[in-house]
Amino acid sequence: MRLRALLETDALGLRLLGGEDELDRTVRGVMTTDLRDPSRYLSGGELVLTGLAWRREPEDSERFVRILTAAGVAGLAAGEAEIASTPDDLIAACARHRMPLFSVNETVSFASITEHVVRQVSSERAGDLAAVVDRHRRLMTGGPAGGGPEVVLDLLGTDLDLRAWVLSPTGRRIAGSSLADAGPGLSAETGAALAGEHLAASRTGRRGPHRVTTGGSTYSLFPVGGTARAASASDVRETVLSDWLLAVEADAGDWPAERLDLLHGVTQLIAVERDRRDAARTVRRRLAQEVLELVQAGAAPAEIAARLRVAAPVLLPGLGTAPHWQVVVARVEWEGGDVPGGPVAQALLEEVLVDQDSTGPEPTDRIAVAHTGDEAVALVPLPAVVTGPDEPLSGAGLHADALLAAIREPLERGLDGDGRLTFGVSAAVHSAEGLRGALEEARHARRVAAARPGRACAAGHQELASHVLLLPFVPDDVRRAFTARLLDPLRDYDRRHRAELIPTLEAFLDCDGSWTRCATRLHLHVNTLRYRVGRIEQLTGRDLSRLEDKLDFFLALRMS
């Protein structure tokens, strides 16, 4: 299709700002991005949609447009939702490079433009395979009745004889075609291996599809981003741990350009479904945020219980009795600290904590995840399973070791040497009174996990039984002697020198030994922080790089 056809479609809300002589350019696809350099994701002929988050100073416009021009982009469309008007420097840069420039009315979503372009372009190129794209509305608006992503995957099977699956970043099967499930299915091990290869390739910036051979079969992996999330992301690390992928059992290296274009169009349609599911989580996120704020503020149990009664029907529709609850706390941290960890951990938990036994079309409606700072907190309801009227929950709930085992392999590939995931899992509680303790329990478990080596680590409430949960039962004289031996030298030094060694120790442990985060929290230079920690070690004879000594300090501070 031509750029001119897009401009003539009033429903798309496009207004031409420059490049009238270039409107006969052919549009081969569409891409939404706010990356400063999106060249690795461009193949030429795209209409690029952007919210201009990459623009920090006027000079950025020239660089961005030059990159698009070199990649052979057909045109650029700038959204007006976050800006009053398109910057003059961007208009001038597009004029210099003969790049057609449009503004997008704030009432029109990028998803609507993506839908229109994908439908038109794919229909024109696929010929007798256009039915794959023509029926895309069932994917985006049909919900459970329309079949979700399976509709498109089934058409790939019937029209192209392709076995295909949509996978989560951990390799969990989200959708599969009837053809894919008719023969030997995709094993959990193969799914995890494919997800790991996909994450590793995404981190290196290699353009898809990625060719992978495993278990005697060859697969082609196509990235499935989320159009809404991609528009606000400026770093691949913000979305790489939550983006889906399309795995096709075939070698795409021998495919003609028309078939590759068709598959890229399918991934864009699936991305719209990804965004739809993400938007559907809004209510659950809000419920989790409200409960979390009440718990952290020390609200009365009756107030928390009332909020839980509201949350339970949303998270477990049709449940006749009040559920038990578990809390999962997670952090995703990147070296340098320039990528916010909280939203990444939130999106990751929403993918990881899916009820594997759910038979409904929306298995993600079983959890609610909030984030605050660099931390994400998941509220996981569990049906109350009891063996007797007075007996506790039996045989249900999340287990940290099993959860980690299911996701470790692919996620370590995605963390790629500069990221780290740690999470802790609480025991199940049956009332609002227990929720505050569950939150603290999950946070302590996560700190225990953070003290371990490895890119992805987890700990459960069982591992706290030997210290945190038993602290109240330690005799007072033993507690006083233990804390005095460790902390009195630091307190005395602080009184004499106003050195703030105790606050520094608390912050250092709370930041899991991260020099950068701790220095930022205390508003110190890293060298000053290292001097203080060295002084703590000198005065106490302990080594804060050792897990045992970290735990001793942690317990001493808890008991003081």
Side-chain angles (χ1 to χ4, degrees):
M1 66 180 304
R2 309 279 184 183
L3 283 175
R4 189 180 306 280
L6 293 175
L7 189 62
E8 294 171 350
T9 305
D10 295 338
L12 298 182
L14 296 176
R15 180 167 60 91
L16 184 65
L17 300 180
E20 185 175 1
D21 295 339
E22 305 293 331
L23 291 181
D24 286 327
R25 291 187 181 185
T26 300
V27 179
R28 300 178 61 247
V30 62
M31 177 189 180
T32 300
T33 184
D34 269 317
L35 294 174
R36 293 170 65 84
D37 181 1
S39 57
R40 59 189 175 190
Y41 303 114
L42 297 170
S43 57
E46 295 92 351
L47 172 68
V48 171
L49 308 175
T50 180
L52 300 181
W54 49 265
R55 182 184 177 275
R56 299 171 186 171
E57 54 188 6
E59 291 75 14
D60 291 341
S61 293
E62 170 65 25
R63 179 176 179 273
F64 186 76
V65 175
R66 187 168 62 249
I67 289 172
L68 299 190
T69 302
V73 166
L76 175 64
E80 295 182 341
E82 301 293 335
I83 57 173
S85 61
T86 304
D88 291 338
D89 49 90
L90 179 60
I91 296 175
C94 287
R96 283 192 296 273
H97 292 277
R98 301 178 64 84
M99 175 65 66
L101 176 63
F102 306 87
S103 65
V104 182
N105 190 283
E106 61 180 358
T107 62
V108 178
S109 69
F110 284 176
S112 298
I113 298 174
T114 299
E115 172 193 347
H116 180 84
V117 173
V118 169
R119 183 175 67 250
Q120 297 297 324
V121 172
S122 298
S123 296
E124 292 173 4
R125 294 187 177 181
D128 62 334
L129 299 177
V132 175
V133 179
D134 289 339
R135 292 168 62 185
H136 71 286
R137 291 190 183 276
R138 292 180 62 190
L139 168 66
M140 293 179 291
T141 62
E150 284 85 355
V151 173
V152 170
L153 299 186
D154 281 346
L155 291 173
L156 286 179
T158 57
D159 290 353
L160 296 180
D161 196 28
L162 291 175
R163 284 162 42 93
W165 300 264
V166 177
L167 303 178
S168 79
T170 62
R172 177 180 62 85
R173 178 190 180 281
I174 294 171
S177 64
S178 298
L179 178 64
D181 294 334
L186 193 72
S187 68
E189 293 76 13
T190 300
L194 295 178
E197 292 291 341
H198 165 72
L199 288 172
S202 298
R203 289 301 312 276
T204 60
R206 286 192 284 126
R207 184 179 300 167
H210 312 301
R211 180 181 178 275
V212 178
T213 299
T214 181
S217 298
T218 299
Y219 299 86
S220 296
L221 310 180
F222 295 80
V224 177
T227 55
R229 291 172 304 115
S232 60
S234 58
D235 191 304
V236 67
R237 292 175 295 178
E238 294 181 43
T239 60
V240 68
L241 296 183
S242 57
D243 281 346
W244 293 353
L245 67 140
L246 174 64
V248 180
E249 191 176 18
D251 187 350
D254 298 328
W255 285 2
E258 290 77 11
R259 178 172 287 198
L260 282 174
D261 288 342
L262 179 61
L263 264 293
H264 284 299
V266 168
T267 63
Q268 290 180 318
L269 294 181
I270 297 173
V272 176
E273 168 70 2
R274 174 71 176 84
D275 284 342
R276 187 185 69 79
R277 294 194 184 188
D278 193 60
R281 292 170 173 161
T282 302
V283 173
R284 297 189 291 277
R285 287 174 173 173
R286 185 168 65 248
L287 287 172
Q289 192 70 43
E290 291 173 355
V291 172
L292 177 63
E293 290 173 356
L294 288 174
V295 171
Q296 293 188 135
E303 187 177 359
I304 299 175
R307 180 53 54 190
L308 289 178
R309 283 194 295 271
V310 173
V314 176
L315 301 180
L316 290 175
L319 188 69
T321 59
H324 287 73
W325 302 91
Q326 273 185 289
V327 175
V328 180
V329 172
R331 280 182 184 265
V332 174
E333 299 168 290
W334 304 100
E335 291 181 7
D338 53 339
V339 177
V344 178
Q346 180 185 43
L348 181 58
L349 281 185
E350 287 173 335
E351 291 292 346
V352 169
L353 298 179
V354 170
D355 181 1
Q356 301 291 344
D357 297 325
S358 174
T359 57
E362 293 285 2
T364 53
D365 65 2
R366 305 293 186 184
I367 56 173
V369 188
H371 78 83
T372 174
D374 288 332
E375 179 183 79
V377 179
L379 189 64
V380 183
L382 306 167
V385 180
V386 294
T387 56
D390 299 317
E391 296 180 29
L393 186 72
S394 174
L398 301 170
H399 298 273
D401 290 342
L403 195 59
L404 180 62
I407 65 175
R408 187 203 299 265
E409 178 186 347
L411 289 186
E412 285 186 342
R413 304 288 302 277
L415 294 166
D416 192 36
D418 66 341
R420 193 158 193 254
L421 164 68
T422 55
F423 63 89
V425 181
S426 79
V429 296
H430 69 280
S431 65
E433 289 85 350
L435 203 56
R436 182 179 181 86
L439 176 59
E440 288 302 314
E441 192 173 66
R443 282 176 168 161
H444 292 321
R446 193 207 63 80
R447 292 190 182 102
V448 171
R452 296 170 176 166
R455 288 291 166 186
C457 299
H461 61 93
Q462 302 91 340
E463 301 176 64
L464 303 181
S466 62
H467 42 84
V468 174
L469 296 184
L470 296 180
L471 289 183
F473 303 99
V474 177
D476 288 342
D477 56 340
V478 175
R479 297 172 68 175
R480 283 194 295 269
F482 181 77
T483 57
R485 185 169 62 253
L486 272 181
L487 301 183
D488 279 359
L490 305 182
R491 291 177 178 137
D492 292 340
Y493 191 90
D494 281 350
R495 280 194 296 269
R496 293 196 308 269
H497 301 283
R498 297 181 181 180
E500 298 187 333
L501 295 185
I502 292 290
T504 299
L505 176 62
E506 292 174 332
F508 187 76
L509 294 176
D510 192 53
C511 292
D512 303 324
S514 169
W515 297 99
T516 301
R517 287 200 299 110
C518 185
T520 300
R521 176 180 295 189
L522 296 175
H523 305 290
L524 298 175
H525 191 279
V526 171
N527 290 340
T528 303
L529 175 61
R530 292 185 184 277
Y531 173 82
R532 288 188 182 181
V533 170
R535 178 64 68 183
I536 292 171
E537 294 175 334
Q538 182 183 29
L539 291 171
T540 61
R542 299 300 185 103
D543 182 356
L544 276 168
S545 66
R546 297 178 68 247
L547 172 61
E548 294 84 354
D549 289 346
K550 285 181 181 178
L551 286 176
D552 280 351
F553 277 122
F554 170 73
L555 293 173
L557 290 169
R558 285 279 294 176
M559 291 189 294
S560 64

